[in-house]
Amino acid sequence: MTTRRQFLIQTGAGLAALSAGKLSSAKELASAKEEGKRPLVISTWKHGLASNEQAWKILAKGGRALDAVESGVQVAEADPEVTSVGYGGGPDREGHVTLDSCIMDEKGNAGSVAFLQNFMHPVAVARKVMEETPHVMIVGEGARRFALDQGFKEQDLLTDQARKNWQQWLKTGKYKPWSPASNPTHDTISMLAVDQAGDLSGSCTTSGLAYKMHGRVGDSPIIGAALFVDNEVGSACATGVGEEVMKTVGSFLIVELMRQGLSPTEACKEGVQRIIRKNPNWRDVQVGYLAMDRLGRVGAFAIHTGFQYAVHDGQNNVLMDSAGYTD
Ligand code: GLY
């Protein structure tokens, strides 16, 4: 028999009731929290599997979700085979690898860097912005100087393979940024985690769209677009064409929809539909959203099928196929 508590959670009304304070007894609230998987880490694309493994090492020891999401995505940042993030990432049309990243913790603190060049771990610089400055976002030359002040070392991130690919692209003579819709196997890594204490954090890091205009910044460092965390409700993150995510403030939207009682999947689906309703050319772009509510329930939705995400719950670290609007 389904208890009231189970019914609330299964229908998504549990979350609304929690945030509206309708679960009256402390015992009921504690029971509701137990329904979720905790700790848990999820991240975008196949490269999320290795990043989840790293994050899990921290979560399994009772560590903070914040430490897990920072450390986890650094695996993708350092992997030259991941051609959309950090070292080995595709350069802009002028041959510069420019990086965007952000991080957000359970208290709503946030840090980000944009248009940062020559640092292996922009997510770590973003965390320093959050913890060592009164600001949220530092970009370009200012971010470079800040990173150096914080002890980070500069290094060339353009690999031989990425240079060859760029030189090949130059031969076509056309300015058309690479689109995730045309090669939907990987993109930005975004990660969400909940720790044993029930606290949420998230991170996002990317080299952005390959062959973009020099100076172009996507959604990945924009709090509310590529990432949003509200410990009272849940967290959401994005991957795909950043312009579409920014114009609809996707991750903030999804968290607010969960606050109103939508399940993580329903909220991600509405985030995608918002893009589709606003952009007649939506077929040409890919965006995928992930969400995790404070109970540890997970959801995903993308414009096109092909978006995959990795889920690690301590027993398994598995790649899941997201539903897509074009299913
Ligand atoms: N989502 C990555 C970007 O658009 O730059």
Side-chain angles (χ1 to χ4, degrees):
M1 189 181 138
T2 303
T3 65
R4 175 173 172 262
R5 172 171 56 82
Q6 284 164 340
F7 172 77
L8 285 170
I9 290 164
Q10 282 160 9
T11 58
L15 197 63
L18 279 172
S19 59
K22 286 179 193 158
L23 295 184
S24 49
S25 77
K27 191 170 162 210
E28 199 170 10
L29 178 62
S31 300
K33 284 167 79 175
E34 280 162 20
E35 284 291 326
K37 290 233 172 189
R38 243 172 30 208
L40 187 72
V41 58
I42 62 175
S43 57
T44 53
W45 302 109
K46 192 177 173 189
H47 50 229
L49 290 169
S51 290
N52 281 1
E53 287 295 345
Q54 176 59 27
W56 189 261
K57 287 181 193 163
I58 292 166
L59 295 173
K61 286 189 284 198
R64 258 182 103 184
L66 180 68
D67 294 327
V69 298
E70 181 194 6
S71 183
V73 298
Q74 288 187 14
V75 174
E77 287 181 334
D79 185 345
E81 302 296 321
V82 180
T83 58
S84 46
V85 181
Y87 179 58
D92 66 15
R93 62 192 308 194
E94 297 177 16
H96 305 284
V97 180
T98 74
L99 307 170
D100 300 335
S101 180
C102 72
I103 193 161
M104 193 164 186
D105 75 8
E106 76 280 3
K107 298 187 184 75
N109 298 311
S112 89
V113 287
F115 194 50
L116 180 67
Q117 297 175 54
N118 299 320
F119 290 94
M120 181 70 90
H121 293 303
V123 71
V125 184
R127 182 165 177 181
K128 289 287 184 192
V129 172
M130 177 173 88
E131 293 182 340
E132 305 295 334
T133 82
H135 308 302
V136 168
M137 187 173 197
I138 303 186
V139 309
E141 175 58 16
R144 186 184 82 89
R145 281 196 258 147
F146 172 73
L148 290 172
D149 285 349
Q150 291 294 322
F152 295 97
K153 300 276 176 275
E154 283 184 292
Q155 63 188 100
D156 187 5
L157 300 181
L158 186 65
T159 58
D160 289 344
Q161 187 58 52
R163 184 181 289 102
K164 272 187 208 149
N165 294 346
W166 168 61
Q167 285 166 343
Q168 189 61 33
W169 174 83
L170 282 177
K171 285 185 193 158
T172 68
K174 287 186 199 149
Y175 173 46
K176 191 170 189 307
W178 172 84
S179 160
S182 62
N183 182 8
T185 55
H186 62 90
D187 184 46
T188 308
I189 186 160
S190 296
M191 177 177 275
L192 305 173
V194 59
D195 58 28
Q196 276 179 20
D199 286 327
L200 301 166
S201 287
S203 63
C204 178
T205 182
T206 192
S207 50
L209 298 184
Y211 320 134
K212 61 197 174 185
M213 290 177 72
H214 188 59
R216 179 266 187 187
V217 168
D219 60 318
S220 301
I222 309 295
I223 298 298
L227 176 68
F228 197 71
V229 176
D230 185 328
N231 224 38
E232 292 173 7
V233 178
S235 55
C237 63
T239 185
V241 177
E243 282 73 6
E244 302 307 315
V245 177
M246 284 191 277
K247 287 186 285 186
T248 50
V249 201
S251 293
F252 180 74
L253 171 67
I254 289 165
V255 170
E256 289 308 300
L257 290 169
M258 289 195 291
R259 192 191 306 277
Q260 290 166 29
L262 269 62
S263 73
T265 302
E266 289 165 343
C268 289
K269 188 173 181 184
E270 175 55 25
V272 162
Q273 285 175 331
R274 193 69 61 93
I275 293 170
I276 288 167
R277 285 201 294 276
K278 298 281 180 192
N279 183 350
N281 299 318
W282 61 268
R283 282 188 177 76
D284 297 336
V285 295
Q286 171 67 311
V287 168
Y289 286 119
L290 283 185
M292 178 191 289
D293 70 20
R294 65 184 290 248
L295 306 179
R297 296 185 311 172
V298 168
F301 208 82
I303 297 178
H304 302 286
T305 53
F307 171 46
Q308 294 186 304
Y309 61 102
V311 181
H312 199 324
D313 67 359
Q315 260 101 49
N316 300 295
N317 186 22
V318 290
L319 201 57
M320 308 283 290
D321 289 312
S322 166
Y325 186 79
T326 53
D327 273 358

